Amino acid sequence: MRAAELIARKRNGDALDPDDIRALIAGYARGEVPDYQMSALAMAVYFRGLEPAELSAWTDAMLRSGDVLDLSHLSGAKVDKHSTGGVGDKISLPLAPLVAACGLRVPMVSGRGLGHTGGTLDKLESIPGFRTDLSVERFVAQVADDDLRLGLAGQTEEIAPADKRLYALRDVTATVESIPLIASSIMSKKLAEGIDGLVLDVKVGSGAFMKTEADARRLAETMVEIGRRAGCATVALLTDMSRPLGRMVGNALEVRESIDILRGEGPADVRALTLRLAAEMLMLGGLARGVAEDLARSTLDGGAALKRFARVIEAQGGDPAVLEDPDRLAKAPHVVDFVAPRAGHVAGMHTARVGLAAMCLGAGRARTDDVIDPAVGLEICATVGDRVEKGQPLARIHHAGRGLDDCRAHLAAAWTFADAPVAPRPLVIDRVG
Ligand code: URA
């Protein structure tokens, strides 16, 4: 197999042989296929797509590039959740300890920021000392420990190494927004976790990789089918990403908002989605809908999820005192307002611009070797449906002197206004699976 021939075949719109795909992905995971060839192939897939047999071989090869965990010796259901990525989407942070506190085991392998979207690993690492580079033994031990039932880790050389490389490569080669590449990336690392059930949060709208409901539905159906074939009960919610989720965008800021949720406070949309996804996970774990919803709510409001997060932070080397005193998290040295240029109702948001604005400040990466500043980001003061007066803050920019002009330029294009009131889209649009 010559990589250049496979790239040419895909570029020309021909299907690849599943064995060639397996050899190529395995070679890439071992470092034998260079990034420049994988970038070209990813771009060819972006334009040409993958047929079902190709996608199945691609996902399987990514999954088998590392260990596939066997957690069958552990009692109880092993269930995880994954989002396709959005702006201000910090749901995994309150959700994972909540569901673990409800009794499920949650082996969660997450990613870093991708494109204009934030990543769970970057958010967690803004907690002082928190380590996400867990060994397989440590990860499994945490999931097995009844006082934790949760591991929060990234792809490693042991778990989903092909996704670790390809994810970072796609981030900087404009090859993220592809249904087969997203589906194989997500499902390979999720199926490697040894889970029985998976809830997917497929984001739709201006801040998502899928801008239309039709594309989001195709992505959801593709992933649900991959899960079904692998024997993993999989459901997907299509949820709104035409506005940022919650108020905070940026790593430490999002940890603060997650702590609020774990305290029974915080923005209504983040709380509602956390509870809905928790209920979906508990239903995959065998509970009836009403019981699942009640258990999720009472566990969150009773403080058990917050306590569980404290234990997990401690187990992963972090400082659990941030939960009592969020001021221990990094804080940007400067905060300035970005104000409304006119009075009116917020009619829409170009939400990816909000993500890009945060990236310019240092909250995300433009190159694989960029270092993130955990403190910087945005506090959104007006969202779709809100009435604003001219000069009223639309956002507060938490910055450290870097990228402020570019950030403002993105924000200037992020809000649109109307004279009449506008109703925001419902948070949960549909359920697939
Ligand atoms: N999340 C992932 O894990 N992979 C993608 O490609 C997109 C979102």
Side-chain angles (χ1 to χ4, degrees):
M1 183 260 326
R2 283 188 53 237
E5 279 167 26
L6 300 188
I7 297 166
R9 279 186 70 81
K10 189 42 60 189
R11 179 200 64 199
N12 296 343
D14 295 327
L16 303 181
D17 185 282
D19 287 341
D20 286 342
I21 291 175
R22 286 200 182 87
L24 188 98
I25 302 273
Y28 182 59
R30 286 195 300 266
E32 291 159 10
V33 174
D35 276 348
Y36 53 81
Q37 286 186 313
M38 206 57 195
S39 317
L41 183 62
M43 189 57 85
V45 171
Y46 175 92
F47 282 113
R48 296 295 193 173
L50 292 177
E51 289 177 4
E54 293 178 286
L55 177 59
S56 166
W58 188 291
T59 309
D60 193 56
M62 302 250 304
L63 164 68
R64 288 178 202 293
S65 66
D67 294 350
V68 179
L69 302 186
D70 178 1
L71 302 181
S72 56
H73 60 289
L74 300 181
S75 63
K78 281 73 74 179
V79 181
D80 193 12
K81 164 268 175 186
H82 198 86
S83 159
T84 57
V87 177
D89 183 359
K90 69 279 297 169
I91 298 286
S92 290
L93 273 65
L95 176 69
L98 167 59
V99 171
C102 290
L104 296 186
R105 297 191 193 274
V106 187
M108 185 177 271
V109 176
S110 306
R112 298 196 175 278
L114 192 62
H116 64 274
T117 69
T120 300
L121 299 181
D122 297 326
K123 292 169 203 185
L124 287 169
E125 287 175 2
S126 68
I127 298 171
F130 197 101
R131 301 287 302 257
T132 60
D133 56 345
L134 305 184
S135 65
V136 168
E137 291 71 31
R138 175 111 178 256
F139 183 68
V140 173
Q142 278 191 210
V143 176
D145 181 341
D146 283 333
D147 289 334
L148 299 174
R149 291 180 174 247
L150 169 60
L152 295 163
Q155 316 98 318
T156 62
E157 289 310 312
E158 294 166 286
I159 303 181
D163 185 55
K164 182 179 163 78
R165 296 214 169 96
L166 189 52
Y167 189 94
L169 189 68
R170 286 168 56 223
D171 190 23
V172 292
T173 56
T175 50
V176 174
E177 300 95 333
S178 149
I179 289 179
L181 292 180
I182 295 176
S184 53
S185 162
I186 291 178
M187 295 309 288
S188 63
K189 56 183 169 284
K190 297 286 119 175
L191 296 176
E193 296 168 348
I195 45 177
D196 314 303
L198 174 63
V199 177
L200 295 162
D201 182 3
V202 179
K203 300 285 182 203
V204 194
S206 60
F209 295 124
M210 298 294 113
K211 307 291 183 215
T212 67
E213 203 175 307
D215 280 346
R217 193 176 299 279
R218 272 208 303 140
L219 175 58
E221 285 168 357
T222 304
M223 292 193 287
V224 167
E225 176 62 13
I226 293 173
R228 192 190 62 78
R229 284 181 185 221
C232 174
T234 306
V235 297
L237 297 187
L238 264 49
T239 70
D240 182 39
M241 187 32 72
S242 61
R243 56 198 154 120
L245 195 49
R247 286 171 59 93
M248 301 300 188
V249 179
N251 298 291
L253 290 170
E254 293 192 44
V255 172
R256 279 176 181 268
E257 194 165 83
S258 304
I259 296 170
D260 289 344
I261 295 297
L262 287 164
R263 286 183 173 159
E265 300 158 10
D269 57 347
V270 182
R271 176 177 162 92
L273 193 54
T274 302
L275 288 173
R276 174 66 195 268
L277 290 165
E280 292 287 348
M281 291 172 77
L282 292 168
M283 278 151 59
L284 286 181
L287 296 188
R289 177 179 290 275
V291 180
E293 286 170 351
D294 288 349
L295 179 60
R297 198 175 315 102
S298 61
T299 306
L300 184 62
D301 292 339
L306 183 72
K307 282 202 197 103
R308 182 65 54 119
F309 198 32
R311 277 188 225 143
V312 173
I313 291 174
E314 194 161 17
Q316 298 199 205
D319 176 9
V322 295
L323 299 180
E324 293 307 317
D325 179 11
D327 283 339
R328 295 169 87 105
L329 292 163
K331 262 192 182 159
H334 312 288
V335 182
V336 292
D337 286 349
F338 179 82
V339 300
R342 56 162 280 190
H345 298 268
V346 179
M349 291 187 71
H350 194 314
T351 310
R353 290 281 202 152
V354 176
L356 292 170
M359 268 179 77
C360 293
L361 303 174
R365 296 174 193 78
R367 295 163 41 120
T368 39
D369 52 358
D370 280 349
V371 176
I372 286 203
D373 181 345
V376 299
L378 301 163
E379 197 178 332
I380 305 300
C381 308
T383 188
V384 180
D386 289 348
R387 162 88 203 169
V388 293
E389 300 305 326
K390 184 172 176 184
Q392 186 179 322
L394 294 175
R396 293 215 162 86
I397 305 173
H398 294 239
H399 72 101
R402 176 172 147 198
L404 195 54
D405 289 344
D406 291 339
C407 168
R408 284 183 187 282
H410 282 299
L411 292 182
W415 280 264
T416 54
F417 301 93
D419 294 328
V422 176
R425 281 210 304 198
L427 189 57
V428 178
I429 297 162
D430 205 355
R431 183 176 190 273
V432 175

